[in-house]
Amino acid sequence: MAEDNVVVFENVSKIYQMGEVAIPALQGISLQIPTSRFSMVLGPSGSGKTTLLNMIGCLDQPTSGEINVCGEKVAEISDDNISEFRARHIGFIFQNFNLIPVLSALENVEYPLTLLGMKTAERRERSMKMLEAVGLAEHGRHRPNQLSGGQKQRVAIARALVKGPSLVLADEPTANLDSKTGAAIIDLMHRVQEQYGATFIFSTHDPQLISHAQDIFSIRDGELIEHRREGKCRP
Ligand SMILES: Nc1ncnc2c1ncn2[C@@H]1O[C@H](COP(=O)(O)OP(=O)(O)O)[C@@H](O)[C@H]1O
Ligand SMILES: [Mg+2]
């Protein structure tokens, strides 16, 4: 794998088998997603975005083809090591925010560090810095239900980044936000992506977000139809 690609797909297909019916969700996709850039997967509902991101996130295996993530052939990582690989290398951001309702914003951000066994004082300091980076220093004690949708997604961004992952995956992170808040969240993601040097990949069905991304992977019916490289810098 070339060093400057964090994700490489070679002829990847995913077929879901529903009883007698075979649903081809991804069909022979080959792509390279460059390191330290802000990439977007664009496609209508049902085009295969979630399936693609789940493959990149090692949450599911392809039916055929080869996937390389962070320099590792995913098929060769043992079941025992795969959750450790994910915990170290990959941060996830979800459409529904997926914050833990009984924890404060700060505790939600700390949670991945707890899983990695980090000591309390260091954990707290790093999490506070991340909350500051997403503009929520004043909201650390708030529970998720005391935050707006945009604020919840900022907490989720802080949580995804706090462990210093090489790769952050966001599956339709703006789908539950109004368009103005959604665009602001994408800009914030791009800002922290540059600041922390991680690679970001987000998916959306909204073509209006094209102007916010550097690399755009367009998919339709499980096929990659275009990889456009904008070379865009954040305004
Ligand atoms: N677990 C599953 N079982 C069966 N079919 C699935 C499953 N997940 C997704 N699909 C099908 O695969 C296709 C791609 O779905 P998905 O990756 O969720 O697309 P998107 O995220 O772009 O909406 C769709 O036809 C969908 O119905
Ligand atoms: Mg989806």
Side-chain angles (χ1 to χ4, degrees), residues 16 18 23 25 44-51:
Y16 293 109
M18 303 271 284
I23 300 164
S45 176
S47 58
K49 301 181 297 296
T50 296
T51 304

Side-chain angles (χ1 to χ4, degrees), residues 1-233:
M1 186 187 87
E3 298 239 318
D4 55 355
N5 291 316
V6 71
V7 175
V8 178
F9 274 40
E10 279 172 28
N11 205 15
V12 168
S13 293
K14 176 69 179 182
I15 298 166
Y16 293 109
Q17 199 68 40
M18 303 271 284
E20 304 268 289
V21 186
I23 300 164
L26 297 180
Q27 310 196 60
I29 290 199
S30 296
L31 53 71
Q32 291 96 39
I33 299 182
T35 302
S36 299
R37 285 176 61 96
F38 193 67
S39 293
M40 163 176 176
V41 175
L42 175 68
S45 176
S47 58
K49 301 181 297 296
T50 296
T51 304
L52 182 72
L53 262 65
N54 285 350
M55 301 281 142
I56 297 172
C58 311
L59 296 166
D60 203 355
Q61 293 271 2
T63 310
S64 60
E66 195 175 285
I67 298 179
N68 209 301
V69 175
C70 301
E72 303 270 351
K73 275 188 193 170
V74 174
E76 290 176 2
I77 308 172
S78 72
D79 287 350
D80 287 346
N81 291 335
I82 200 101
S83 39
E84 158 92 10
F85 178 79
R86 265 201 309 269
R88 295 224 167 267
H89 292 290
I90 308 176
F92 292 91
I93 295 168
F94 303 91
Q95 174 175 333
N96 300 318
F97 320 121
N98 284 16
L99 300 178
I100 302 173
V102 297
L103 299 182
S104 69
L106 181 63
E107 289 164 344
N108 266 283
V109 177
E110 276 187 62
Y111 189 67
L113 302 180
T114 312
L115 295 182
L116 289 172
M118 190 180 286
K119 297 229 166 60
T120 315
E122 189 186 352
R123 207 164 79 199
R124 189 126 297 195
E125 195 189 324
R126 279 179 67 158
S127 305
M128 272 309 300
K129 282 207 180 116
M130 275 314 309
L131 270 184
E132 266 172 52
V134 299
L136 285 180
E138 309 297 317
H139 293 74
R141 287 163 179 267
H142 288 56
R143 295 272 175 93
N145 67 5
Q146 298 171 306
L147 299 171
S148 69
Q151 288 172 331
K152 284 182 206 167
Q153 203 56 305
R154 287 171 192 230
V155 174
I157 292 168
R159 177 181 60 180
L161 271 165
V162 75
K163 64 192 180 189
S166 353
L167 181 59
V168 177
L169 301 176
D171 191 12
E172 302 227 33
T174 63
N176 287 332
L177 302 172
D178 63 78
S179 58
K180 196 168 155 228
T181 307
I185 284 293
I186 297 297
D187 277 341
L188 174 67
M189 285 185 2
H190 198 169
R191 187 144 42 85
V192 295
Q193 180 270 328
E194 286 183 334
Q195 193 177 345
Y196 291 89
T199 304
F200 264 67
I201 306 167
F202 76 98
S203 73
T204 182
H205 61 263
D206 182 359
Q208 290 193 358
L209 292 173
I210 279 183
S211 63
H212 297 261
Q214 291 180 307
D215 284 74
I216 297 141
F217 297 85
S218 296
I219 62 171
R220 291 280 183 291
D221 299 327
E223 291 184 73
L224 181 69
I225 55 172
E226 188 187 25
H227 172 193
R228 203 190 317 168
R229 194 160 190 166
E230 300 288 271
K232 176 181 178 295
C233 292

